[in-house]
Amino acid sequence: MVGYAYSVSPLSFRIPFPMPAPRFYCDAPLAAGARIALPEALAHHALRVLRLRAGETVTLFNGQGGEYPAVLEVEGKAGFAQLGDFNPREAELGGRITLAQGLPSGDKMDWVVEKAVELGAARVSPIAAQRSVLQLSGARLEKRVGHWQRIAQSAAEQCGRNRLMAVDAPQSLEDWLAQPADGLRVLCHPEATEDLATTLQGASDQTSITLLVGPEGGWSDKELEAARKAGVRAVRFGPRVLRTETAGLALLSAVSALRGW
């Protein structure tokens, strides 16, 4: 008997999976069956940057919930989309989480905004804390907020959310605390006596949770006292000290997991 040895490359077993249609946020009214002109910036990104062609399928959403499959049409430099049936698909958490983030130094806030979108946060409120190194005002402030909002938009396109996470303009903790409270508010502090899980168990009826995370230098004593007087509860989160750009995202993930969201 003659024996045969077979050598098959692993590449021959690869199963081709279809690539998902590119997703775009479109700040315009959308309706099933409509033909719409794409905003100039969106058309440029789709046709010039991504080099999509007429007849290709994309997905459009306008941040109001759900999405629409669409077919691209091109006329000169202009782009159009023929919308299909509305798809009510959502990718939101079962509750509402806000991250009140003490402004970190450099471009760390870019990372926080992007990852907060991916993790399902409903809002990010930058706090110009007393120990924040980054201080913004005037035109520089307006430009930076617009930059963060564009990051949130791009992150929603990438991660499959059909609603945009809100990004507020930075404000002091005092001004932020003066606004009406919405649900449970907790502040991450390494010396707190109560842990996060215990605090959440005691507020199981709350579906809106705000997480306060200080900048690199932490909250000042004055800020901690103001938060306490405003009813914010201090919580401990593990035995390690996390960087400011890590702490809020870790808390967000933990809350989502503990609540089954």
Side-chain angles (χ1 to χ4, degrees), residues 92-205:
E92 300 303 299
L93 299 181
R96 180 181 177 84
I97 301 179
T98 296
L99 175 59
Q101 171 72 53
L103 275 176
S105 60
D107 59 0
K108 294 176 183 176
M109 196 68 188
D110 293 8
W111 164 270
V112 171
V113 168
E114 180 182 78
K115 301 311 172 187
V117 172
E118 294 179 22
L119 293 170
R123 178 178 296 273
V124 166
S125 296
I127 304 297
Q130 293 179 11
R131 294 176 180 169
S132 288
V133 175
L134 181 64
Q135 299 293 334
L136 300 169
S137 61
R140 186 162 172 253
L141 169 61
E142 185 176 344
K143 182 177 179 181
R144 189 64 66 92
V145 173
H147 172 68
W148 292 331
Q149 291 171 340
R150 287 190 294 274
I151 288 176
Q153 172 186 315
S154 296
E157 292 175 340
Q158 180 273 325
C159 76
R161 291 181 68 174
N162 286 324
R163 297 180 186 272
L164 297 184
M165 183 188 77
V167 182
D168 298 326
Q171 56 189 315
S172 69
L173 182 63
E174 180 182 8
D175 289 342
W176 184 85
L177 290 171
Q179 300 171 14
D182 180 20
L184 175 67
R185 299 187 295 180
V186 299
L187 179 148
C188 186
H189 194 279
E191 298 178 6
T193 58
E194 193 172 85
D195 61 31
L196 176 65
T198 301
T199 300
L200 290 177
Q201 289 173 1
S204 59
D205 60 327

